Amino acid sequence: ADLANYRNHHGGAAAYRGCRTRMERGIENAARRTDITGYKALFSDPRVAEIFATRPGYPAFLVPFVKVFGLVRGVWLAAVVVTVAGSGFVVLILRRLGVCVPLALLGQILYYALQTGTDSMQPMCEGLLLCLLLAGILGCVRILQGHIRSGTAISLTAFTGAACVKYAQTLLAVAGIAGMTALFMGLRWLRHREFPRSERLLLATTGVFVAVLQLVIVALGLPSTRASLQELMAVHYSRPLPPHLLHHFIRLSIGFWREWLRGGLVEPLGLLLLAAGAWGALRWHRSFGFLIVGVAVAGFVNQAGHPEAAMGPRLLVMASLLPVCGIPLLIESHTARRAGEGPDPIVRPSRAQPQLPAPQGQLY
């Protein structure tokens, strides 16, 4: 939009007509070609269409909604379903961790209010990806609680579905869980503590999944990190590739993270939410804390692989799961401690699953 003339009587209509004219011209030029295929072929370079063709999960999920309710209402209703389902998994996770109902509902509200809810309601695959990742995290929590068979089945099924939506981000998320679980066990080893069976099984489950998914990516020849880097450096293949990809990538990364940190210090709410979420998760349940921090780290790694501001905070959305799950745990741990510090300590009733939260003060 021409901001100088946007407030004039026909400013908005002129901007709309100009945008539509440019898009239609690009589609007409692509339609004259005969060497392109795929559902995104008319809108982008064939190499970009190839990347999106490896993500069949979200289009397949949309099909019944679009068939029954039409395009606009179907896509909107699908977004509502995955957003509500994702927030529901947050409630289930927090309840399994021993959080009271009001604070579990606070986690659901945070899911709606933070970037997770914003991106889930977009007509893009992030909402479905978050929903499936949360289902997998719920399975991981069940493994940590000793429900090995059901937890393994839930986590592997959910992570497989997430890989059909976005295999690269799923690989990062599960690798983050495996890596942070390995770090947790390493810290226990340094303190001469035994390795809990549940943590060992969680590490084995996520590690095997990461290895198998990587083998599938290599065997099927799916677009790799190099293809993603080329697409980024060539601006969706609309420009020639620069001669030194790594040099340009490092320069772009330095500029991006400098501006990101500057913005975070100017408006520190996001950084404070991440810190509070990490504190609460690690304080209430150390194993789960490392797990959810691993997912947040995967979000930052995903952003590091795409250091561009044009896509907004969408690439970092996995990191927002940390405050969504961690802040209710922080409040719950603070409430539990205050209840036991008064002159007449409150005896809290036993929970349905008394083994869920680790004892307060147990570090490793």
Side-chain angles (χ1 to χ4, degrees):
D2 182 358
L3 298 182
N5 300 318
Y6 187 77
R7 295 183 181 277
N8 293 344
H9 182 62
H10 297 292
Y16 172 78
R17 288 194 300 269
C19 179
R20 178 160 186 159
T21 300
R22 290 190 300 272
M23 290 296 298
E24 290 179 347
R25 186 183 303 117
I27 294 174
E28 290 173 359
N29 293 335
R32 297 190 185 98
R33 301 175 57 180
T34 59
D35 60 335
I36 55 177
T37 57
Y39 69 92
K40 197 175 174 62
L42 294 180
F43 303 93
S44 61
D45 186 276
R47 290 169 290 185
V48 179
E50 180 183 0
I51 294 175
F52 281 90
T54 60
R55 305 171 181 176
Y58 181 65
F61 173 75
L62 287 181
V63 168
F65 292 94
V66 174
K67 286 287 186 181
V68 175
F69 300 100
L71 179 61
V72 176
R73 291 185 177 88
V75 172
W76 172 81
L77 184 59
V80 172
V81 169
V82 297
T83 303
V84 174
S87 69
F89 282 123
V90 171
V91 174
L92 292 177
I93 291 170
L94 293 174
R95 289 293 292 155
R96 294 298 304 180
L97 291 170
V99 175
C100 63
V101 173
L103 289 178
L105 295 178
L106 172 64
Q108 185 176 34
I109 294 172
L110 288 172
Y111 186 86
Y112 293 145
L114 298 180
Q115 193 63 36
T116 46
T118 302
D119 286 338
S120 293
M121 281 303 299
Q122 296 295 325
M124 305 179 78
C125 60
E126 272 69 27
L128 183 58
L129 177 67
L130 289 174
C131 180
L132 292 171
L133 287 180
L134 285 167
I137 292 172
L138 176 62
C140 293
V141 171
R142 291 187 63 84
I143 294 176
L144 292 175
Q145 296 171 352
H147 304 286
I148 307 302
R149 292 185 178 180
S150 61
T152 302
I154 293 173
S155 60
L156 291 180
T157 301
F159 289 147
T160 301
C164 295
V165 177
K166 268 191 172 183
Y167 61 87
Q169 281 82 343
T170 302
L171 183 65
L172 290 176
V174 182
I177 294 174
M180 293 302 293
T181 303
L183 176 61
F184 171 75
M185 295 177 65
L187 292 174
R188 289 186 65 91
W189 178 77
L190 291 175
R191 297 175 64 89
H192 304 287
R193 301 286 186 86
E194 64 176 355
F195 297 152
R197 179 172 178 266
S198 56
E199 276 79 1
R200 286 188 278 117
L201 291 173
L202 176 62
L203 178 59
T205 301
T206 52
V208 169
F209 181 87
V210 168
V212 171
L213 181 56
Q214 184 61 47
L215 289 175
V216 170
I217 292 173
V218 174
L220 297 181
L222 301 179
S224 61
T225 304
R226 181 174 179 81
S228 178
L229 180 60
Q230 291 177 346
E231 191 266 346
L232 172 66
M233 294 293 102
V235 191
H236 312 302
Y237 296 108
S238 61
R239 303 175 185 175
L241 282 172
H244 304 289
L245 286 179
L246 183 59
H247 171 75
H248 286 276
F249 178 77
I250 293 175
R251 181 172 56 85
L252 184 62
S253 297
I254 293 174
F256 173 84
W257 288 111
R258 183 179 63 243
E259 293 301 319
W260 183 87
L261 183 59
R262 179 183 299 174
L265 294 177
V266 172
E267 298 178 357
L269 178 60
L271 296 177
L272 293 175
L273 289 175
L274 290 172
W279 183 21
L282 292 171
R283 183 179 181 183
W284 179 257
H285 195 291
R286 193 55 54 94
S287 300
F288 175 77
F290 273 84
L291 184 156
I292 199 67
V293 168
V295 176
V297 170
F300 278 94
V301 173
N302 185 46
Q303 178 69 81
H306 305 78
E308 57 173 332
M311 301 181 72
R314 181 168 60 89
L315 297 174
L316 259 174
V317 68
M318 286 191 294
S320 298
L321 294 178
L322 183 55
V324 167
C325 296
I327 289 178
L329 294 175
L330 178 62
I331 300 174
E332 182 78 10
S333 63
H334 178 72
T335 303
R337 175 168 296 185
R338 289 293 298 274
E341 288 178 351
D344 186 15
I346 298 175
V347 180
R348 307 185 72 192
S350 59
R351 302 182 182 277
Q353 296 85 16
Q355 78 278 15
L356 300 185
Q360 298 298 313
Q362 177 180 330
L363 297 181
Y364 304 104

